Amino acid sequence: MIRRFCMALLCAVLTAIGIGALPPTSACAVSPSDLARQLEPAQGESALDGVFGSPVTLTDPSTGVAVLDTLLPQGWTAQLQTNWNFISTVNPCLATASFASPDGQAQLIIQTSQDYLESVDNTGLLPSREGSDLTTYVTYLSYKNAGEFLDLCFNSVLGTAGVVIQETPVDSSVQSMLQQVAKAYLDSQVSGFQSLAGPYGYTVWPGGSEGTAAYRRYRFTASDGNLYVADALCLCICIEYTTSNGYSLTTDRPWTVPMTAFYIAPDEATLDKYMAQASMILDNCVQRNEFIHLKQAYGSDIRNRIMKQQT
C-alpha cells in the first residue's frame, strides 16, 4: 500500500510542476484479476463487512469542481472540505477528504498539496521568519523533512503529545524517485526564474535539493482529550536556489508537501480491523486534474494582482 501510494504521488507531483506529460495515475494499477480478488469476501465474511467498494468522486463544495476519485468501502461515508484562503500562490487551496467507518471508530484523512517557504539568512543575523505575509501571499515556515512535518501535525494541528510508536523504513525505489523529482523540480524552478528575471539583471543559480518520506504510527491526544493512534504518511520535497541582482544575494528554500494521509482510531486493534478498507481508499485515490488546474489559475491570478500592486 505505502509504496504504490507514494509512487502515484510522485507522478502527480511531476504533472503538477509541469515536468513531463503524465496522465492521471492511481496509486494502484488494478487488473481484472486483482479486482476480482479484492471484491471477493474472505472466508466467513460477507460483502457487507466493508471490503466491497464503489467508485466515488468528491467535489469542492464551493466551486463544484471534482477534487478526488477513489473507491469507497461498503458502509463508509466520505466528505470533503476546502480552504481557499491558504496563503500560497502555488497551492492557494487545501482540500481535506475525510472517510469514516460504519461504526465511526476509524477515520482516514487525506490532504492535498501544501507548500511553504524558508528564508535563509546567509549572515546569520536575522531571525527565522514564521507565519503568513499577505503582501507577497507566502506562508513562511522553518524547514521540515517528512518526519518533522508529521511531528508538527501531531503536536499542534491534529492534537498534542504526539509520540512515534512505530516507523516503517522507506522503500529504496520510493526514495530514489523522490530525489529525482526534487532535482527535476529544482532545475525547472531555476530555469523559469532565470527566464523571467534575467532580462532585468537578475541571476539565479541552483543550490541543493532533497526528497524525504515518512510512514509512522503515532499515539497522540486529540482536541476531545482522548488518546488515539494513527498511521501517518507524508512526502516532502525541498529545493534551494540563490538570486542575485548584482548587489545582494537572496537564498530561498521552498518546500512542498504533495499529500498527507492520516488513518486514525482509538486503538491499534481498531486500526488493524479496518486496515483493508483504509488501504482500498488510499490505493485508489486519484487527484483530479480539474482541481489542479483551478488552483494553478487562481494562484496565477493572485500573483498578477500582487505584481500590479507592487508596480
Side-chain angles (χ1 to χ4, degrees):
M1 175 185 76
I2 304 167
R3 183 176 182 276
R4 293 195 299 267
F5 185 63
C6 288
M7 297 295 275
L9 286 186
L10 294 176
C11 291
V13 172
L14 286 170
T15 304
I17 64 179
I19 303 173
L22 298 175
T25 307
S26 69
C28 176
V30 182
S31 68
S33 59
D34 291 335
L35 186 61
R37 286 195 297 270
Q38 186 180 47
L39 300 184
E40 182 180 354
Q43 187 175 4
E45 294 181 346
S46 69
L48 296 180
D49 289 324
V51 177
F52 181 83
S54 56
V56 63
T57 297
L58 302 183
T59 59
D60 174 15
S62 59
T63 65
V65 171
V67 177
L68 292 173
D69 291 331
T70 190
L71 283 180
L72 188 66
Q74 177 73 33
W76 282 58
T77 57
Q79 62 177 351
L80 185 128
Q81 296 178 331
T82 52
N83 175 16
W84 283 95
N85 295 315
F86 192 79
I87 308 301
S88 166
T89 59
V90 179
N91 291 291
C93 177
L94 177 63
T96 302
S98 301
F99 306 88
S101 62
D103 59 6
Q105 291 299 298
Q107 184 181 27
L108 176 64
I109 300 173
I110 299 175
Q111 289 188 324
T112 58
S113 55
Q114 48 195 296
D115 65 282
Y116 303 90
L117 180 64
E118 177 191 4
S119 287
V120 181
D121 174 29
N122 293 316
T123 67
L125 300 176
L126 300 176
S128 174
R129 298 184 68 177
E130 298 277 345
S132 300
D133 186 343
L134 294 179
T135 60
T136 58
Y137 219 74
V138 171
T139 298
Y140 291 92
L141 191 65
S142 59
Y143 164 80
K144 302 284 186 299
N145 60 31
E148 291 169 334
F149 185 77
L150 289 180
D151 288 341
L152 174 66
C153 291
F154 287 100
N155 285 280
S156 63
V157 181
L158 294 175
T160 58
V163 177
V164 179
I165 58 178
Q166 182 181 335
E167 183 157 7
T168 301
V170 178
D171 188 281
S172 59
S173 61
V174 173
Q175 187 60 57
S176 175
M177 192 172 180
L178 262 172
Q179 296 293 354
Q180 295 176 49
V181 169
K183 180 61 167 60
Y185 186 33
L186 173 63
D187 293 341
S188 174
Q189 291 292 93
V190 169
S191 176
F193 289 153
Q194 186 61 55
S195 64
L196 290 174
Y200 299 95
Y202 286 82
T203 302
V204 185
W205 60 89
S209 59
E210 176 188 81
T212 59
Y215 181 61
R216 295 174 168 181
R217 177 165 289 187
Y218 282 84
R219 181 176 289 111
F220 70 103
T221 302
S223 58
D224 60 7
N226 294 321
L227 281 174
Y228 292 87
V229 291
D231 285 343
L233 172 64
C234 176
L235 306 180
C236 278
I237 294 173
C238 180
I239 63 174
E240 179 182 293
Y241 55 84
T242 300
T243 306
S244 171
N245 60 2
Y247 302 97
S248 62
L249 298 176
T250 302
T251 300
D252 288 319
R253 289 196 192 116
W255 52 279
T256 301
V257 185
M259 192 178 284
T260 48
F262 309 98
Y263 173 42
I264 305 171
D267 49 58
E268 293 186 82
T270 305
L271 281 183
D272 294 338
K273 177 182 178 181
Y274 290 108
M275 184 64 72
Q277 291 91 333
S279 298
M280 173 187 284
I281 297 171
L282 203 55
D283 286 351
N284 292 281
C285 183
V286 183
Q287 188 172 187
R288 294 285 289 264
N289 281 338
E290 303 98 296
F291 178 61
I292 295 174
H293 294 327
L294 183 62
K295 286 197 304 179
Q296 291 174 341
Y298 184 47
S300 177
D301 181 64
I302 295 173
R303 286 192 297 272
N304 290 336
R305 293 184 183 186
I306 291 173
M307 294 180 64
K308 289 181 179 179
Q309 291 176 354
Q310 292 177 344
T311 57

